[in-house]
Amino acid sequence: WDPTHHLVYVGSTEWCMMFQSGKPVYVEGKIYLGTGVWPTKLPQDTPTGWVTALDDATGKIVWRYKSDERILAGVTPTAGNLLLTGDTGGNFLAFNAKSGKLLHKVDSGGSLAGGVITYAQGGRQYVAFASGSVVRGSFVKAVGFPKVVVMALPAKGEKTTDAPRIVRANPNEDPA
């Protein structure tokens, strides 16, 4: 919820599947859906994602963004008029929180499905999120090895670039 713009933001997945009844069978380590029949993905349907901004008083849609990949990550509004989230294709997304204009789309190298946080330290603003997943299965198209990505916004007076700079993606790799 964004109290400044009076908007509620929702990340979602749009994906149709067909389920049939069957005797429930639980298999340890597998997804349990309460039926013995695994869902069937409809051949004409490809999962996509949405970021939707709703007016907090009326519930009416103010703006929407359609992603080619599912939106499972947390959706984080900031006091600086940014809305931060990501998709399962590995894209970190930054929007103008009021208008929905996509400001940055950065390939993080792995699926985003957790929270996105922002914090300040030493006069610089940072954004951090988990990227990548070890989960594999029909419901999750997971890409990339798990890591924490931290991006820094320019400090006051620092020359800016068109995209956020990845400060540290993984302690064992040199950030690009």
Side-chain angles (χ1 to χ4, degrees), residues 56-150:
D56 69 358
T58 66
K60 291 185 179 179
I61 295 173
V62 175
W63 60 260
R64 292 185 90 189
Y65 170 83
K66 185 174 183 179
S67 172
D68 291 337
E69 301 289 342
R70 290 166 271 183
I71 303 289
L72 301 177
V75 182
T76 305
T78 73
N81 195 37
L82 290 176
L83 182 71
L84 310 171
T85 190
D87 65 32
T88 58
N91 298 301
F92 169 75
L93 307 168
F95 299 90
N96 175 299
K98 185 174 182 180
S99 71
K101 179 182 177 186
L102 181 63
L103 303 173
H104 293 293
K105 184 175 182 178
V106 179
D107 183 356
S108 72
S111 298
L112 279 79
V116 178
I117 63 166
T118 180
Y119 61 95
Q121 183 177 354
R124 179 173 289 224
Q125 191 72 30
Y126 293 89
V127 175
F129 54 88
S131 172
S133 175
V134 293
V135 176
R136 303 291 186 252
S138 294
F139 289 113
V140 180
K141 174 191 165 195
V143 297
F145 189 77
K147 60 188 166 277
V148 173
V149 176
V150 178

Coordinates of all heavy atoms in Angstrom, one line a residue, residues 56-150:
D56 N -7.0 2.9 -3.6 CA -7.3 2.3 -2.3 C -8.7 2.6 -1.8 O -9.2 2.0 -0.9 CB -6.2 2.7 -1.3 CG -6.2 4.1 -0.8 OD1 -7.0 4.9 -1.4 OD2 -5.4 4.5 0.0
A57 N -9.4 3.6 -2.4 CA -10.7 4.0 -1.9 C -11.8 3.3 -2.7 O -12.8 2.9 -2.2 CB -11.0 5.5 -2.0
T58 N -11.6 3.1 -4.0 CA -12.6 2.5 -4.9 C -12.3 1.1 -5.4 O -13.2 0.4 -5.9 CB -12.8 3.4 -6.2 OG1 -11.5 3.4 -7.0 CG2 -13.1 4.9 -5.8
G59 N -11.0 0.7 -5.4 CA -10.6 -0.6 -5.9 C -10.5 -0.6 -7.4 O -10.2 -1.6 -8.0
K60 N -10.7 0.5 -8.0 CA -10.6 0.6 -9.5 C -9.1 0.5 -9.9 O -8.2 1.1 -9.2 CB -11.2 1.9 -10.0 CG -12.7 1.9 -9.9 CD -13.3 3.1 -10.6 CE -14.8 3.0 -10.4 NZ -15.5 4.1 -11.0
I61 N -8.8 -0.1 -11.1 CA -7.5 -0.2 -11.6 C -7.0 1.2 -12.1 O -7.7 1.8 -12.9 CB -7.4 -1.2 -12.7 CG1 -7.7 -2.6 -12.2 CG2 -6.1 -1.2 -13.4 CD1 -7.8 -3.7 -13.2
V62 N -5.9 1.6 -11.6 CA -5.3 2.9 -12.0 C -4.3 2.7 -13.2 O -4.3 3.4 -14.1 CB -4.6 3.6 -10.8 CG1 -3.9 4.9 -11.3 CG2 -5.6 3.9 -9.7
W63 N -3.5 1.6 -13.0 CA -2.6 1.2 -14.1 C -2.2 -0.3 -14.0 O -2.4 -0.8 -12.9 CB -1.3 2.1 -14.2 CG -0.4 2.1 -13.0 CD1 -0.4 3.1 -12.1 CD2 0.6 1.2 -12.7 NE1 0.6 2.8 -11.1 CE2 1.2 1.7 -11.5 CE3 1.1 0.0 -13.2 CZ2 2.3 1.0 -10.9 CZ3 2.1 -0.7 -12.6 CH2 2.7 -0.2 -11.4
R64 N -1.8 -0.9 -15.1 CA -1.4 -2.3 -15.1 C -0.1 -2.4 -16.0 O 0.0 -1.7 -17.0 CB -2.5 -3.2 -15.7 CG -3.7 -3.3 -14.8 CD -4.6 -4.3 -15.3 NE -4.3 -5.6 -14.8 CZ -4.8 -6.7 -15.1 NH1 -5.7 -6.8 -16.1 NH2 -4.4 -7.8 -14.6
Y65 N 0.7 -3.4 -15.6 CA 1.9 -3.7 -16.5 C 1.8 -5.2 -16.7 O 1.7 -6.0 -15.7 CB 3.2 -3.3 -15.7 CG 4.4 -3.9 -16.4 CD1 5.0 -3.2 -17.5 CD2 5.0 -5.1 -15.9 CE1 6.1 -3.7 -18.1 CE2 6.1 -5.6 -16.5 CZ 6.7 -4.9 -17.6 OH 7.8 -5.4 -18.2
K66 N 1.9 -5.6 -17.9 CA 1.9 -7.1 -18.2 C 3.3 -7.5 -18.5 O 4.0 -7.0 -19.3 CB 1.0 -7.4 -19.4 CG 0.9 -8.9 -19.7 CD 0.0 -9.2 -20.8 CE -0.1 -10.7 -20.9 NZ -1.1 -11.1 -21.9
S67 N 3.7 -8.5 -17.7 CA 5.1 -9.1 -17.9 C 5.0 -10.4 -18.7 O 4.0 -11.1 -18.6 CB 5.6 -9.4 -16.5 OG 6.8 -10.1 -16.6
D68 N 6.0 -10.7 -19.4 CA 6.1 -12.0 -20.1 C 6.3 -13.2 -19.2 O 6.1 -14.3 -19.6 CB 7.2 -12.0 -21.2 CG 6.9 -11.0 -22.3 OD1 5.7 -10.7 -22.6 OD2 7.9 -10.6 -23.0
E69 N 6.7 -12.9 -18.0 CA 6.9 -13.9 -17.0 C 6.0 -13.7 -15.7 O 5.5 -12.6 -15.5 CB 8.4 -13.9 -16.6 CG 9.4 -14.2 -17.7 CD 9.3 -15.6 -18.2 OE1 8.8 -16.5 -17.5 OE2 9.8 -15.8 -19.3
R70 N 5.9 -14.7 -14.9 CA 5.1 -14.6 -13.7 C 5.7 -13.6 -12.7 O 6.9 -13.5 -12.5 CB 4.9 -15.9 -13.1 CG 4.1 -16.8 -13.9 CD 4.2 -18.2 -13.5 NE 5.3 -18.8 -14.2 CZ 5.7 -20.1 -14.2 NH1 5.0 -20.9 -13.4 NH2 6.7 -20.5 -14.9
I71 N 4.8 -12.9 -12.0 CA 5.2 -12.0 -10.9 C 4.9 -12.7 -9.6 O 3.7 -12.8 -9.2 CB 4.5 -10.6 -11.0 CG1 4.7 -9.9 -12.3 CG2 4.9 -9.7 -9.8 CD1 6.1 -9.4 -12.6
L72 N 5.9 -13.2 -9.0 CA 5.8 -13.9 -7.7 C 6.5 -13.1 -6.6 O 6.3 -13.4 -5.4 CB 6.4 -15.3 -7.8 CG 5.8 -16.3 -8.8 CD1 6.5 -17.6 -8.8 CD2 4.3 -16.4 -8.5
A73 N 7.4 -12.2 -7.0 CA 8.2 -11.4 -6.0 C 7.3 -10.4 -5.3 O 6.2 -10.1 -5.7 CB 9.3 -10.7 -6.7
G74 N 7.8 -10.0 -4.1 CA 7.1 -9.0 -3.4 C 7.1 -7.7 -4.2 O 7.9 -7.5 -5.1
V75 N 6.1 -6.8 -3.9 CA 6.0 -5.6 -4.6 C 6.1 -4.5 -3.6 O 5.4 -4.4 -2.6 CB 4.6 -5.4 -5.3 CG1 4.4 -4.1 -6.1 CG2 4.3 -6.6 -6.3
T76 N 7.2 -3.7 -3.7 CA 7.6 -2.7 -2.7 C 7.5 -1.3 -3.2 O 8.3 -0.9 -4.0 CB 9.1 -3.0 -2.3 OG1 9.2 -4.4 -1.9 CG2 9.5 -2.1 -1.1
P77 N 6.6 -0.5 -2.7 CA 6.6 1.0 -3.0 C 7.6 1.7 -2.1 O 7.8 1.2 -0.9 CB 5.1 1.4 -2.6 CG 4.7 0.4 -1.6 CD 5.4 -0.9 -1.9
T78 N 8.1 2.8 -2.6 CA 9.1 3.6 -1.8 C 8.6 5.0 -1.6 O 7.7 5.5 -2.4 CB 10.5 3.6 -2.5 OG1 10.4 4.4 -3.6 CG2 11.0 2.2 -2.8
A79 N 9.2 5.7 -0.7 CA 8.8 7.1 -0.5 C 9.3 8.0 -1.6 O 8.9 9.1 -1.8 CB 9.4 7.6 0.8
G80 N 10.3 7.5 -2.4 CA 10.8 8.2 -3.6 C 10.1 8.0 -4.9 O 10.6 8.2 -6.0
N81 N 8.8 7.5 -4.8 CA 7.9 7.3 -6.0 C 8.4 6.2 -6.9 O 8.2 6.2 -8.1 CB 7.8 8.6 -6.8 CG 6.6 8.5 -7.8 OD1 5.6 8.0 -7.5 ND2 6.8 9.1 -8.9
L82 N 9.1 5.2 -6.3 CA 9.4 4.0 -7.0 C 8.6 2.8 -6.6 O 8.2 2.8 -5.4 CB 10.9 3.7 -6.8 CG 11.9 4.6 -7.5 CD1 13.3 4.1 -7.1 CD2 11.8 4.6 -9.0
L83 N 8.3 1.9 -7.5 CA 7.7 0.6 -7.1 C 8.6 -0.4 -7.6 O 9.0 -0.4 -8.8 CB 6.3 0.5 -7.8 CG 5.6 -0.8 -7.5 CD1 5.1 -0.7 -6.0 CD2 4.4 -1.0 -8.4
L84 N 9.1 -1.4 -6.8 CA 10.1 -2.3 -7.1 C 9.5 -3.7 -7.0 O 8.8 -4.1 -6.0 CB 11.2 -2.2 -6.1 CG 11.8 -0.8 -5.9 CD1 12.8 -0.7 -4.8 CD2 12.4 -0.3 -7.2
T85 N 9.8 -4.6 -8.0 CA 9.4 -6.0 -8.0 C 10.3 -6.7 -9.0 O 11.3 -6.2 -9.4 CB 7.9 -6.2 -8.3 OG1 7.5 -7.5 -8.0 CG2 7.6 -5.8 -9.7
G86 N 9.9 -7.9 -9.3 CA 10.7 -8.7 -10.3 C 9.8 -9.9 -10.8 O 8.8 -10.2 -10.3
D87 N 10.3 -10.6 -11.8 CA 9.6 -11.7 -12.4 C 10.4 -12.9 -12.4 O 11.6 -12.9 -12.1 CB 9.1 -11.3 -13.8 CG 10.2 -11.1 -14.8 OD1 11.2 -11.8 -14.7 OD2 9.9 -10.4 -15.8
T88 N 9.8 -14.1 -12.7 CA 10.4 -15.4 -12.7 C 11.4 -15.5 -13.8 O 12.2 -16.5 -13.8 CB 9.4 -16.5 -12.7 OG1 8.6 -16.4 -13.8 CG2 8.6 -16.5 -11.4
G89 N 11.4 -14.7 -14.8 CA 12.4 -14.7 -15.8 C 13.7 -14.1 -15.4 O 14.7 -14.1 -16.2
G90 N 13.8 -13.5 -14.2 CA 15.0 -12.9 -13.7 C 15.1 -11.4 -13.9 O 16.2 -10.8 -13.6
N91 N 14.0 -10.8 -14.3 CA 14.0 -9.3 -14.5 C 13.7 -8.6 -13.2 O 12.6 -8.8 -12.6 CB 13.1 -8.9 -15.6 CG 13.5 -9.5 -16.9 OD1 14.5 -9.3 -17.4 ND2 12.6 -10.3 -17.5
F92 N 14.5 -7.7 -12.7 CA 14.2 -6.8 -11.6 C 13.5 -5.6 -12.3 O 14.0 -5.1 -13.3 CB 15.5 -6.3 -10.9 CG 15.2 -5.2 -10.0 CD1 14.6 -5.4 -8.8 CD2 15.6 -3.9 -10.3 CE1 14.4 -4.3 -7.9 CE2 15.4 -2.8 -9.5 CZ 14.8 -3.0 -8.3
L93 N 12.4 -5.2 -11.8 CA 11.6 -4.1 -12.4 C 11.4 -2.9 -11.5 O 11.1 -3.1 -10.3 CB 10.2 -4.7 -12.8 CG 10.2 -5.9 -13.7 CD1 8.8 -6.5 -13.7 CD2 10.7 -5.6 -15.1
A94 N 11.6 -1.7 -12.0 CA 11.4 -0.5 -11.2 C 10.5 0.4 -12.0 O 10.7 0.7 -13.2 CB 12.7 0.2 -11.0
F95 N 9.4 0.8 -11.4 CA 8.3 1.6 -12.0 C 8.2 3.0 -11.3 O 8.5 3.1 -10.1 CB 7.0 0.9 -11.8 CG 6.8 -0.4 -12.5 CD1 7.2 -1.6 -11.8 CD2 6.4 -0.6 -13.8 CE1 7.0 -2.8 -12.3 CE2 6.3 -1.8 -14.4 CZ 6.6 -3.0 -13.6
N96 N 7.6 3.9 -12.1 CA 7.1 5.1 -11.4 C 5.9 4.7 -10.7 O 5.0 4.1 -11.3 CB 6.8 6.2 -12.5 CG 6.2 7.4 -11.9 OD1 5.1 7.3 -11.3 ND2 6.8 8.5 -12.1
A97 N 5.8 4.8 -9.4 CA 4.7 4.3 -8.6 C 3.4 4.9 -8.9 O 2.4 4.2 -8.9 CB 5.0 4.5 -7.1
K98 N 3.4 6.1 -9.3 CA 2.1 6.8 -9.6 C 1.6 6.5 -11.0 O 0.4 6.1 -11.2 CB 2.2 8.3 -9.4 CG 0.9 9.0 -9.6 CD 1.0 10.5 -9.3 CE -0.3 11.2 -9.4 NZ -0.2 12.6 -9.1
S99 N 2.5 6.5 -12.0 CA 2.0 6.4 -13.4 C 2.1 5.0 -13.9 O 1.5 4.6 -14.9 CB 2.8 7.3 -14.3 OG 4.2 6.8 -14.4
G100 N 3.0 4.1 -13.3 CA 3.2 2.8 -13.8 C 4.2 2.7 -14.9 O 4.5 1.6 -15.5
K101 N 4.9 3.8 -15.3 CA 5.9 3.8 -16.3 C 7.1 2.9 -15.9 O 7.6 3.1 -14.8 CB 6.3 5.2 -16.6 CG 7.4 5.2 -17.7 CD 7.9 6.7 -18.0 CE 9.0 6.6 -19.0 NZ 9.6 7.9 -19.2
L102 N 7.5 2.0 -16.7 CA 8.6 1.2 -16.4 C 9.9 2.0 -16.6 O 10.2 2.5 -17.6 CB 8.7 -0.1 -17.4 CG 9.8 -1.0 -17.1 CD1 9.7 -1.7 -15.8 CD2 9.8 -2.1 -18.2
L103 N 10.6 2.1 -15.5 CA 11.8 3.0 -15.5 C 13.1 2.2 -15.7 O 14.0 2.6 -16.4 CB 12.0 3.7 -14.2 CG 10.8 4.6 -13.8 CD1 11.0 5.2 -12.4 CD2 10.6 5.7 -14.8
H104 N 13.2 1.0 -15.2 CA 14.3 0.1 -15.3 C 13.9 -1.4 -15.4 O 13.0 -1.8 -14.6 CB 15.3 0.3 -14.1 CG 16.0 1.6 -14.1 ND1 16.9 2.0 -15.0 CD2 15.8 2.6 -13.2 CE1 17.3 3.2 -14.7 NE2 16.6 3.6 -13.6
K105 N 14.5 -2.1 -16.2 CA 14.3 -3.6 -16.3 C 15.8 -4.1 -16.4 O 16.5 -3.9 -17.4 CB 13.5 -3.9 -17.6 CG 13.2 -5.4 -17.7 CD 12.3 -5.6 -18.9 CE 11.9 -7.1 -19.0 NZ 11.0 -7.3 -20.2
V106 N 16.2 -4.8 -15.3 CA 17.6 -5.3 -15.1 C 17.6 -6.8 -15.0 O 16.9 -7.3 -14.1 CB 18.2 -4.6 -13.9 CG1 19.6 -5.1 -13.7 CG2 18.2 -3.1 -14.0
D107 N 18.3 -7.5 -15.8 CA 18.5 -8.9 -15.8 C 19.3 -9.2 -14.5 O 20.5 -8.9 -14.5 CB 19.1 -9.5 -17.0 CG 19.2 -11.0 -17.0 OD1 18.9 -11.6 -16.0 OD2 19.6 -11.5 -18.1
S108 N 18.7 -9.9 -13.6 CA 19.4 -10.2 -12.3 C 20.2 -11.5 -12.4 O 20.9 -11.9 -11.5 CB 18.5 -10.2 -11.1 OG 17.6 -11.3 -11.2
G109 N 19.9 -12.3 -13.5 CA 20.5 -13.6 -13.6 C 19.8 -14.8 -12.9 O 20.2 -15.9 -13.0
G110 N 18.6 -14.5 -12.3 CA 17.8 -15.5 -11.7 C 16.4 -15.1 -11.3 O 16.2 -13.9 -11.2
S111 N 15.6 -16.0 -11.2 CA 14.1 -15.8 -10.9 C 14.0 -15.0 -9.6 O 14.7 -15.2 -8.6 CB 13.4 -17.1 -10.7 OG 13.4 -17.8 -11.9
L112 N 13.1 -14.0 -9.6 CA 12.7 -13.3 -8.4 C 11.4 -13.8 -7.9 O 10.4 -13.8 -8.6 CB 12.6 -11.8 -8.7 CG 13.9 -11.0 -8.7 CD1 14.6 -11.2 -10.0 CD2 13.7 -9.6 -8.4
A113 N 11.3 -14.3 -6.6 CA 10.1 -14.8 -6.1 C 10.0 -14.4 -4.6 O 9.1 -14.9 -3.9 CB 10.0 -16.3 -6.3
G114 N 10.9 -13.6 -4.1 CA 10.8 -13.2 -2.7 C 10.6 -11.7 -2.5 O 10.2 -11.0 -3.5
G115 N 10.9 -11.2 -1.4 CA 10.7 -9.8 -1.1 C 11.8 -8.9 -1.7 O 12.9 -9.4 -2.0
V116 N 11.5 -7.7 -1.9 CA 12.4 -6.7 -2.4 C 12.5 -5.6 -1.3 O 11.4 -5.1 -0.9 CB 11.9 -6.0 -3.7 CG1 12.9 -4.9 -4.2 CG2 11.8 -7.1 -4.8
I117 N 13.7 -5.3 -0.8 CA 13.8 -4.3 0.3 C 14.7 -3.2 -0.2 O 15.4 -3.3 -1.2 CB 14.4 -4.9 1.5 CG1 15.8 -5.4 1.3 CG2 13.5 -6.1 2.1 CD1 16.6 -5.7 2.6
T118 N 14.5 -2.1 0.5 CA 15.3 -0.9 0.2 C 15.8 -0.3 1.5 O 15.0 -0.4 2.5 CB 14.6 0.1 -0.7 OG1 15.4 1.3 -0.9 CG2 13.3 0.6 0.0
Y119 N 17.0 0.2 1.6 CA 17.5 0.8 2.8 C 18.6 1.8 2.5 O 19.1 1.8 1.4 CB 18.1 -0.3 3.7 CG 19.2 -1.1 3.1 CD1 20.6 -0.7 3.4 CD2 19.0 -2.2 2.3 CE1 21.6 -1.5 2.8 CE2 20.0 -2.9 1.7 CZ 21.3 -2.5 2.0 OH 22.4 -3.2 1.4
A120 N 18.9 2.6 3.4 CA 19.9 3.7 3.3 C 21.1 3.4 4.2 O 20.9 3.0 5.3 CB 19.4 5.1 3.5
Q121 N 22.3 3.6 3.7 CA 23.5 3.5 4.5 C 24.6 4.4 4.0 O 24.8 4.4 2.8 CB 24.0 2.1 4.5 CG 25.2 1.8 5.4 CD 25.6 0.4 5.4 OE1 25.0 -0.5 4.8 NE2 26.7 0.1 6.0
G122 N 25.1 5.2 4.8 CA 26.2 6.1 4.4 C 25.8 7.1 3.4 O 26.6 7.5 2.5
G123 N 24.5 7.6 3.4 CA 24.1 8.6 2.4 C 23.7 8.0 1.0 O 23.4 8.7 0.1
R124 N 23.7 6.7 0.9 CA 23.4 6.0 -0.4 C 22.2 5.1 -0.2 O 22.1 4.5 0.9 CB 24.6 5.2 -0.8 CG 24.3 4.5 -2.2 CD 25.6 3.9 -2.7 NE 26.4 5.0 -3.1 CZ 27.1 4.9 -4.2 NH1 27.1 3.9 -5.0 NH2 27.9 6.0 -4.6
Q125 N 21.3 5.1 -1.2 CA 20.1 4.2 -1.1 C 20.5 2.9 -1.8 O 21.0 2.9 -2.9 CB 19.0 4.9 -1.9 CG 17.6 4.2 -1.6 CD 17.1 4.4 -0.2 OE1 17.3 5.4 0.4 NE2 16.3 3.4 0.2
Y126 N 20.1 1.8 -1.2 CA 20.3 0.4 -1.7 C 19.0 -0.3 -1.9 O 18.0 0.0 -1.2 CB 21.2 -0.4 -0.8 CG 22.6 0.1 -0.6 CD1 22.9 1.1 0.3 CD2 23.6 -0.3 -1.5 CE1 24.2 1.6 0.5 CE2 24.9 0.1 -1.3 CZ 25.2 1.1 -0.4 OH 26.4 1.6 -0.3
V127 N 19.0 -1.2 -2.9 CA 17.9 -2.2 -3.1 C 18.4 -3.6 -3.1 O 19.5 -3.8 -3.7 CB 17.2 -1.9 -4.5 CG1 16.1 -2.9 -4.7 CG2 16.6 -0.5 -4.5
A128 N 17.8 -4.5 -2.3 CA 18.3 -5.8 -2.2 C 17.1 -6.8 -2.4 O 16.0 -6.6 -2.1 CB 18.9 -6.1 -0.9
F129 N 17.5 -8.0 -3.0 CA 16.5 -9.0 -3.3 C 17.2 -10.3 -3.6 O 18.4 -10.4 -3.9 CB 15.6 -8.7 -4.5 CG 16.3 -8.3 -5.7 CD1 16.6 -9.3 -6.6 CD2 16.6 -7.0 -6.0 CE1 17.3 -9.0 -7.8 CE2 17.3 -6.7 -7.2 CZ 17.6 -7.7 -8.1
A130 N 16.5 -11.4 -3.4 CA 17.0 -12.8 -3.7 C 16.7 -13.0 -5.2 O 15.7 -12.7 -5.7 CB 16.4 -13.8 -2.8
S131 N 17.7 -13.6 -5.9 CA 17.6 -13.9 -7.3 C 18.1 -15.3 -7.5 O 19.1 -15.7 -6.9 CB 18.5 -12.9 -8.1 OG 18.6 -13.3 -9.4
G132 N 17.3 -16.1 -8.2 CA 17.7 -17.5 -8.5 C 16.9 -18.4 -7.6 O 16.3 -18.0 -6.6
S133 N 16.9 -19.7 -7.9 CA 16.1 -20.6 -7.1 C 16.6 -22.1 -7.4 O 17.1 -22.4 -8.4 CB 14.6 -20.6 -7.5 OG 13.9 -21.6 -6.9
V134 N 16.4 -22.9 -6.4 CA 16.8 -24.3 -6.5 C 15.5 -25.1 -6.7 O 15.5 -26.3 -6.9 CB 17.5 -24.9 -5.3 CG1 18.9 -24.2 -5.2 CG2 16.8 -24.7 -4.0
V135 N 14.3 -24.4 -6.7 CA 13.0 -25.1 -6.9 C 12.8 -25.4 -8.4 O 13.0 -24.5 -9.2 CB 11.9 -24.2 -6.4 CG1 10.6 -24.9 -6.7 CG2 12.1 -24.0 -4.9
R136 N 12.5 -26.6 -8.7 CA 12.2 -27.0 -10.1 C 10.9 -27.7 -10.1 O 10.7 -28.6 -9.3 CB 13.3 -27.8 -10.7 CG 14.7 -27.2 -10.7 CD 14.8 -26.0 -11.6 NE 16.1 -25.5 -11.7 CZ 16.5 -24.3 -11.2 NH1 15.7 -23.6 -10.5 NH2 17.7 -23.9 -11.3
G137 N 10.0 -27.5 -11.0 CA 8.8 -28.2 -11.1 C 7.9 -27.5 -12.1 O 8.2 -26.5 -12.7
S138 N 6.7 -28.1 -12.3 CA 5.7 -27.6 -13.3 C 5.2 -26.2 -13.0 O 4.9 -25.5 -13.9 CB 4.5 -28.6 -13.3 OG 4.9 -29.8 -13.8
F139 N 5.1 -25.9 -11.7 CA 4.5 -24.6 -11.4 C 5.5 -23.5 -11.4 O 5.2 -22.3 -11.5 CB 3.9 -24.6 -10.0 CG 2.6 -25.4 -10.0 CD1 2.5 -26.6 -9.3 CD2 1.5 -25.0 -10.8 CE1 1.4 -27.4 -9.3 CE2 0.3 -25.8 -10.8 CZ 0.3 -26.9 -10.1
V140 N 6.8 -23.8 -11.3 CA 7.8 -22.7 -11.2 C 8.8 -22.9 -12.3 O 9.5 -23.9 -12.4 CB 8.5 -22.8 -9.8 CG1 9.5 -21.7 -9.7 CG2 7.5 -22.7 -8.7
K141 N 9.0 -21.9 -13.1 CA 10.1 -21.8 -14.1 C 11.2 -21.0 -13.4 O 11.2 -19.8 -13.4 CB 9.6 -21.1 -15.4 CG 10.8 -20.9 -16.3 CD 10.4 -20.0 -17.4 CE 11.6 -19.5 -18.2 NZ 11.3 -18.4 -19.0
A142 N 12.0 -21.7 -12.7 CA 13.1 -21.1 -12.0 C 14.4 -21.1 -12.7 O 14.8 -22.1 -13.3 CB 13.3 -21.8 -10.6
V143 N 15.0 -19.9 -12.8 CA 16.3 -19.8 -13.5 C 17.3 -19.2 -12.5 O 17.0 -18.4 -11.6 CB 16.2 -18.9 -14.7 CG1 15.3 -19.5 -15.8 CG2 15.7 -17.5 -14.4
G144 N 18.6 -19.6 -12.7 CA 19.7 -19.0 -12.0 C 19.9 -19.6 -10.6 O 19.1 -20.1 -10.0
F145 N 21.2 -19.6 -10.2 CA 21.6 -20.1 -8.9 C 21.3 -19.1 -7.9 O 21.4 -17.9 -8.1 CB 23.1 -20.4 -8.9 CG 23.6 -21.2 -7.7 CD1 23.3 -22.5 -7.6 CD2 24.2 -20.5 -6.7 CE1 23.7 -23.2 -6.4 CE2 24.6 -21.1 -5.5 CZ 24.4 -22.5 -5.4
P146 N 20.8 -19.5 -6.7 CA 20.4 -18.5 -5.7 C 21.5 -17.6 -5.2 O 22.7 -18.0 -5.0 CB 20.0 -19.4 -4.5 CG 19.7 -20.7 -5.1 CD 20.6 -20.9 -6.3
K147 N 21.2 -16.3 -5.1 CA 22.1 -15.3 -4.6 C 21.4 -14.1 -4.1 O 20.2 -14.0 -4.4 CB 23.1 -14.9 -5.8 CG 22.4 -14.3 -7.0 CD 23.4 -14.1 -8.1 CE 22.7 -13.8 -9.4 NZ 22.3 -15.0 -10.1
V148 N 22.0 -13.3 -3.4 CA 21.4 -12.0 -3.0 C 22.0 -10.9 -3.9 O 23.3 -10.8 -4.0 CB 21.7 -11.7 -1.5 CG1 21.2 -10.3 -1.1 CG2 21.0 -12.8 -0.6
V149 N 21.2 -10.1 -4.5 CA 21.6 -9.0 -5.3 C 21.4 -7.7 -4.6 O 20.3 -7.5 -4.0 CB 20.9 -9.0 -6.7 CG1 21.3 -7.8 -7.5 CG2 21.1 -10.3 -7.4
V150 N 22.4 -6.9 -4.5 CA 22.3 -5.5 -3.9 C 22.6 -4.5 -5.0 O 23.7 -4.6 -5.6 CB 23.2 -5.4 -2.7 CG1 23.1 -4.0 -2.1 CG2 22.9 -6.4 -1.6

